[in-house]
Structures are given as structure tokens and as C-alpha cells.
């Protein structure tokens, strides 16, 4: 069990810069942006790590809300572990209170799965985080499906969502943000039973 007063570190995984902003690989950033908006905060460059941060609370208003550090690493995806580990150490966040929000190839588009620990499934952001601090953090996995035909995985994840996918994207990002809030305030089992599809 984690310390009830310890902060949570919620990390949206993605690549920095406008060229990547609408890519499938950047859905973690999209969810983080929505969570920041809900918390009433704006991302600011962190002095202590290569990341943008919002600090605030999730859940009930006032002191009963959970203290949260919301982060978007500004390293590239495959180097996410460094900034996340720096933030974990600076804010003294237990590894079990870290949540990575990321795209997942092995799940159909729009399907959501939450879990604690596990492998990286070839995801470079998770690979980097696990190498830096072990695998015992939460993952909120946003399904993007497999590439069509013979398209390479790297090309697929660095392409923008298709026009058909974009019709549902706003709703799905909103639902993913709800799932993250549920995980932090009510625990993994409740979040899984409500949002795993």
C-alpha cells in the first residue's frame, strides 16, 4: 500500500514539438493536457527535470483531494525515464503512485486498459521508464490498434489519428482522463472495473 499523503506523479507520454502534437504516439500528452485543464493549471517548464509540469489536486475540492504532479517529459519518448525518475526523486513519490498514460498497439482503437506493472510491449517510453526505476508503476493504456497492411509500427505511431478516429478522439481522451482520476482517487480495482473495456 502506498502512503495516503504521498503525492501522485501522472505522466503523459509523447514527443515534444508541434510536428508530433497530433500523432497517435502523443495521446498521453493529449490526456495530460485535459487533466491540466480540469485542475485549472497551465503547464510550465520544470527547473528540476526535462519536463513540463502542473501541480494541483484531483478529486474532492480542498485538502481531501489527492496531491498530484502532472508531467509531460520534454525528452523524446525513448528517453522518458530520465525526467520521470528526476521528478519521482524530487517530489518523493512512491513508484506505486506513478501513472504512465500511453498509446498501446496491441489493443483496438479506443479500448482502455489500466494495470499495475508488467512488460513494456515494445513501447519505448515504458522501456525507458522501467529501465530507470523498475516496472511497478501504473499504466493507463490507450488502444491505437495495429498498423494497416505492411506499414511499419514506427511510421504508424508517428502519424496523426485518421479522420474516422478523430471523430471519437475527444470523447476517448475525456474518458481516459476520467479513468486516471478514478485510479488516483478510488484505486486500481475500481478504475479497472469501471473503465477497462
Amino acid at each position: 500500500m502506498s502512503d495516503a499523503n504521498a503525492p501522485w506523479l501522472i505522466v503523459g507520454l509523447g514527443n515534444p514539438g508541434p510536428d508530433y502534437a497530433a500523432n497517435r504516439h502523443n495521446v498521453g500528452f493529449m490526456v495530460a493536457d485535459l487533466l491540466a485543464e480540469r485542475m485549472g493549471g497551465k503547464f510550465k517548464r520544470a527547473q528540476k527535470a526535462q519536463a513540463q509540469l502542473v501541480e494541483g489536486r484531483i478529486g474532492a475540492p480542498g485538502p481531501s483531494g489527492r496531491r498530484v504532479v502532472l508531467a509531460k517529459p520534454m525528452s523524446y519518448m525513448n528517453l522518458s525515464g530520465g525526467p520521470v525518475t528526476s521528478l519521482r526523486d524530487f517530489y518523493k513519490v512512491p513508484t506505486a503512485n506513478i501513472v504512465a498514460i500511453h498509446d498501446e498497439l496491441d489493443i483496438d482503437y479506443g479500448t482502455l486498459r489500466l494495470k499495475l506493472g508488467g512488460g513494456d510491449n515494445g513501447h519505448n517510453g515504458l522501456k525507458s521508464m522501467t529501465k530507470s526505476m523498475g516496472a511497478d508503476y501504473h499504466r493507463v493504456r490507450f488502444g491505437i490498434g495495429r498498423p494497416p497492411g505492411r506499414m511499419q509500427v514506427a511510421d504508424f505511431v508517428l502519424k496523426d489519428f485518421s479522420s474516422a478516429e478523430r471523430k471519437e478522439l475527444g470523447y476517448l481522451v475525456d474518458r481516459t482522463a476520467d479513468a486516471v482520476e478514478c485510479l488516483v482517487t478510488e484505486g486500481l480495482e475500481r478504475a479497472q472495473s469501471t473503465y477497462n473495456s
Side-chain angles (χ1 to χ4, degrees), residues 38-39 56-62 64-68 181-182 184-185:
R38 290 180 179 186
M39 287 163 62
R57 291 187 180 273
I58 280 180
S64 59
R66 301 277 183 185
R67 197 154 65 92
V68 163
E181 290 177 343
C182 182
V184 169
T185 57

Side-chain angles (χ1 to χ4, degrees), residues 15-153:
N15 285 308
D19 292 351
Y20 298 101
N23 289 181
R24 291 182 175 94
H25 224 17
N26 271 42
V27 74
F29 274 17
M30 296 172 197
V31 176
D33 287 339
L34 179 57
L35 286 166
E37 200 180 296
R38 290 180 179 186
M39 287 163 62
K42 282 200 173 17
F43 277 102
K44 293 183 177 66
R45 194 76 193 217
Q47 302 304 312
K48 43 214 148 281
Q50 198 183 355
Q52 289 187 350
L53 295 184
V54 173
E55 293 181 55
R57 291 187 180 273
I58 280 180
S64 59
R66 301 277 183 185
R67 197 154 65 92
V68 163
V69 179
L70 186 59
K72 295 194 295 188
M74 290 289 113
S75 59
Y76 284 94
M77 179 73 87
N78 58 347
L79 300 171
S80 301
V84 175
T85 304
S86 298
L87 293 169
R88 177 199 68 177
D89 295 347
F90 182 84
Y91 288 100
K92 300 180 172 48
V93 179
T95 306
N97 278 22
I98 296 173
V99 181
I101 309 165
H102 64 93
D103 57 306
E104 177 65 66
L105 285 159
D106 287 336
I107 305 175
D108 290 340
Y109 176 68
T111 299
L112 202 54
R113 298 267 164 79
L114 291 86
K115 69 175 191 170
L116 175 63
D120 57 54
N121 235 9
H123 192 288
N124 288 332
L126 298 182
K127 202 176 286 183
S128 177
M129 283 180 61
T130 297
K131 189 176 172 194
S132 290
M133 58 186 197
D136 297 330
Y137 54 90
H138 288 89
R139 295 99 193 277
V140 176
R141 303 152 72 205
F142 184 106
I144 60 168
R146 302 294 306 182
R150 295 195 174 157
M151 188 190 287
Q152 292 298 308
V153 163

Side-chain angles (χ1 to χ4, degrees), residues 156-188:
F156 179 69
V157 299
L158 294 176
K159 282 208 174 356
D160 292 358
F161 286 100
S162 70
S163 54
E165 289 169 337
R166 282 198 298 271
K167 288 192 176 91
E168 280 187 285
L169 187 59
Y171 163 76
L172 295 169
V173 165
D174 196 65
R175 188 167 183 273
T176 307
D178 291 347
V180 173
E181 290 177 343
C182 182
L183 168 62
V184 169
T185 57
E186 299 186 54
L188 179 62

